[in-house]
Amino acid sequence: MGFITRIGRSVGGVVGVIYQAGRETIDIVLKTILPFIAFIAVIIGVITYDWNGPDVDGGTIGDALANVLAPLAGSPLGLVALTIIVALPFLSPVLGPGAVIAQVIGTVLGTSFASGDIDPQYALPALWAINPQVGCDFIPVGLALGEAEPETVELGVPAVLFSRVITGPAATIFALFVGLSVY
């Protein structure tokens, strides 16, 4: 009987752990992940909403931002300026969701590179220049999933956002040297 009791307790312990893990997973999904998904959906909707109607191109906020920022990709100083603009701590969490802005700017830049309007040695730095916001929208959610203390979130989010203002231009400058050495 002792052997069967030990097996029953072991199985019961495993089932209890799996059940509690399922409860915690559902709790995290409902309290953290679903609100984040809703936030991202709203931001993507705002950025991609076409106020001119579906039959007219260029009527979205993403297109407007791309048309304003894309000309910066034609020079080294413009690329660094583009990186700093995209990495601004109050913009990067808004630009990051779905990478909508990076996709739109990347499409405009790709067309400019293909047509020869921008020299090809600026392709790699342009890619790095439009992407310093990557992940900045997920920092609060990542910290919440890691069950970080509120003080950690309060200090960690701005620390990462401000670090991107430093590391983004540094990476773009490095990519400029690499791009210029390739061509």
Side-chain angles (χ1 to χ4, degrees), residues 96-152:
V100 174
I101 299 297
Q103 290 177 26
V104 173
I105 294 173
T107 302
V108 171
L109 290 177
T111 304
S112 298
F113 287 121
S115 67
D117 293 339
I118 301 176
D119 293 333
Q121 69 259 26
Y122 296 130
L124 179 64
L127 175 66
W128 287 15
I130 64 174
N131 282 316
Q133 85 287 353
V134 171
C136 289
D137 56 325
F138 193 74
I139 296 164
V141 175
L143 289 172
L145 288 174
E147 299 178 0
E149 297 293 325
E151 295 83 18
T152 304

Side-chain angles (χ1 to χ4, degrees), residues 9-129:
R9 285 186 179 171
S10 298
V11 169
V14 169
V15 168
V17 167
I18 293 172
Y19 178 74
Q20 184 61 31
R23 288 181 64 185
E24 290 178 14
T25 300
I26 296 299
D27 188 51
I28 288 172
V29 167
L30 290 176
K31 291 182 178 176
T32 306
I33 296 175
L34 288 179
F36 176 70
I37 290 171
F39 167 73
I40 298 300
V42 168
I43 295 295
I44 291 172
V46 167
I47 291 171
T48 60
Y49 177 73
D50 194 348
W51 61 79
N52 291 329
D55 298 331
V56 180
D57 289 334
T60 68
I61 293 173
D63 292 333
L65 281 172
N67 291 330
V68 169
L69 297 176
L72 295 174
S75 70
L77 288 176
L79 285 168
V80 174
L82 177 63
T83 306
I84 292 170
I85 291 168
V86 174
L88 289 172
F90 59 88
L91 279 180
S92 55
V94 176
L95 298 178
V100 174
I101 299 297
Q103 290 177 26
V104 173
I105 294 173
T107 302
V108 171
L109 290 177
T111 304
S112 298
F113 287 121
S115 67
D117 293 339
I118 301 176
D119 293 333
Q121 69 259 26
Y122 296 130
L124 179 64
L127 175 66
W128 287 15

Side-chain angles (χ1 to χ4, degrees), residues 154-166:
E154 190 175 304
L155 296 173
V157 171
V160 172
L161 294 177
F162 280 106
S163 73
R164 298 299 286 169
V165 175
I166 297 167

